[in-house]
Amino acid sequence: MSFTSLGLNPALLKAIEESGYEKPTPIQLAAIPVILKHNDVMAGAQTGTGKTAAFTLPILHHLLSQQTTSTVKCLVLTPTRELAQQVFKNIQTYAKHTTIKSVLVYGGVSIQPQTEAINAGSDIIVATPGRLLDHLINGSLTLSDLQYLVFDEADRMLDMGFKDEITNILKRVPANRQTLLFSATFDDGIFKLSKTLLNDPQLIEVGERNTTAKDIEQIVYTVDADRKRELTSFLIGSKNWRRVLIFTRTKQGADELAKEMCKDGIKTQSIHGDKSQGARDKALAEFKEGKTRALVATDVAARGIDIIDLQYVINYELPYVAEDYIHRIGRTGRAGKAGLALSLMSPDEEWLLKAVEEVLNTQLLPQWLPGYEPDLTKPPKSGRKKQSPPSKKNARKKALGVQSNRRKR
Ligand code: AMP
């Protein structure tokens, strides 16, 4: 089935064609007709499946059939600045042959230019919850004419502790609206949230729940923690990998690894919540341009990053929150392109791998790389013993530095 047969506005079809999309992805095929019929939607869609176009195109189609007014008609909420930027960029691409205007609203940067952009008139706002609420509370934005409300990566929004902000935002939007909720993973929290947000929603699921894209090869190497850096640099160097996204659990760990890898001769930068937005944007741009070979990121900082041709993801440390594994490796293998996700597991991280396997419902079968076999005669370090995973919310706050990230909004 083609985009044309979905009945989308010709101005959108032209932009889709120019983007080089030949046919709709499965989530687009499933969601676009339902959204066009004005239904509320709860959609399970992994990163990289084309979900942004799945909700953006039908909304743009509806907006094009309306009289132009300067009020905000659509709000897209995302958990992080990076995802907001990504969604905004996509909307601009798809709307480039229309007069529809969008404004991007997120924290960590000055509020004034955003207020000016809002005042200049906008049909669509793409925002992170904290900064959006700042604008609503100080009166620089009203959403009384809102028709479409989209929650992108709702699971991550809940994990990051945005529940109160969501409740507060909901009090300020009309009840009579179309609401679309997209989530990579589903759990009780998401179902509970959906009950407060959605009106008789259609459930759309493409592929199985909590699974990773099929085009990603997953490898796990067991290696001692103190040899992980050496192995990472060795693999990148000897296999001539370019554009490698590496995940660490902590901001400090990201900085240290980037510094050490530079010493190994691999040009590497790090991004995390303690870096200014400008520094994060610059690091990401240089990575995309191929000026840096590896980018070390914490989970929060990497969320929403869309890098075409990103072939390699390395889990330098396995995540405390097993679902993050899906989000991490979803950075590669996007839109049908093949990808490799390599996890470096130290013997004390086995319990984290078990949690990941449980979420994936798959066994990952760790291997030893000759020359980097773990030294099992070493006595376990303190903290090497098996622990129970911290609660989702606390683990995320502790391990990913969400607290400081949000304070900066
Ligand atoms: P998303 O899941 O929205 O982050 O999209 C992942 C990537 O797929 C982005 O780079 C999109 O530009 C691309 N994409 C979206 N829809 C299509 C399509 N129908 N055909 C090819 N690429 C697409």
Side-chain angles (χ1 to χ4, degrees), residues 47-212:
T47 322
T49 52
K51 67 185 164 59
T52 315
F55 62 76
T56 303
L57 292 171
I59 292 175
L60 289 172
H61 176 91
H62 280 315
L63 293 179
L64 284 170
S65 65
Q66 297 182 16
Q67 295 272 334
T68 335
T69 58
S70 57
T71 54
V72 177
K73 293 168 215 75
C74 170
L75 168 65
V76 181
L77 282 174
T78 74
T80 63
R81 306 160 196 178
E82 282 77 11
L83 184 61
Q85 285 172 326
Q86 197 59 54
V87 170
F88 177 73
K89 213 173 96 205
N90 281 7
I91 293 177
Q92 285 196 313
T93 302
Y94 304 139
K96 69 177 169 191
H97 299 299
T98 76
T99 54
I100 290 172
K101 287 200 281 178
S102 318
V103 169
L104 182 57
V105 164
Y106 57 78
V109 292
S110 165
I111 198 164
Q112 191 52 31
Q114 294 176 355
T115 306
E116 283 162 19
I118 293 167
N119 288 342
S122 171
D123 303 279
I124 301 175
I125 303 266
V126 182
T128 50
R131 179 55 71 85
L132 182 90
L133 206 51
D134 293 342
H135 282 285
L136 290 173
I137 290 168
N138 75 21
S140 51
L141 174 67
T142 51
L143 296 173
S144 49
D145 287 334
L146 197 81
Q147 299 170 19
Y148 307 96
L149 177 58
V150 182
F151 289 83
D152 194 8
E153 303 200 346
D155 49 349
R156 176 58 61 124
M157 249 183 268
L158 288 186
D159 285 349
M160 287 176 67
F162 281 129
K163 198 162 172 290
D164 292 346
E165 281 87 347
I166 293 172
T167 310
N168 208 330
I169 291 166
L170 282 177
K171 287 185 197 147
R172 297 160 194 268
V173 297
N176 183 17
R177 56 163 204 267
Q178 186 176 4
T179 309
L180 315 174
L181 183 146
F182 283 75
S183 190
T185 54
F186 283 108
D187 62 13
D188 289 351
I190 288 291
F191 281 109
K192 234 187 245 168
L193 177 73
S194 73
K195 291 219 163 59
T196 65
L197 292 179
L198 305 172
N199 178 19
D200 195 16
Q202 292 230 6
L203 185 66
I204 296 175
E205 280 191 275
V206 177
E208 289 166 55
R209 271 184 210 172
N210 298 349
T211 54
T212 49

Side-chain angles (χ1 to χ4, degrees), residues 3 16 19-28 45-57 83 86-87 90 93-94 152-153 304-308 330-331 334-337:
F3 278 107
I16 292 167
S19 297
Y21 301 176
E22 284 165 14
K23 55 181 175 43
T25 63
I27 184 72
Q28 290 162 2
Q46 295 158 218
T47 322
T49 52
K51 67 185 164 59
T52 315
F55 62 76
T56 303
L57 292 171
L83 184 61
Q86 197 59 54
V87 170
N90 281 7
T93 302
Y94 304 139
D152 194 8
E153 303 200 346
I305 293 179
D306 181 20
I307 304 159
I308 297 169
R331 307 287 112 214
R334 287 168 93 79
K337 290 198 164 78

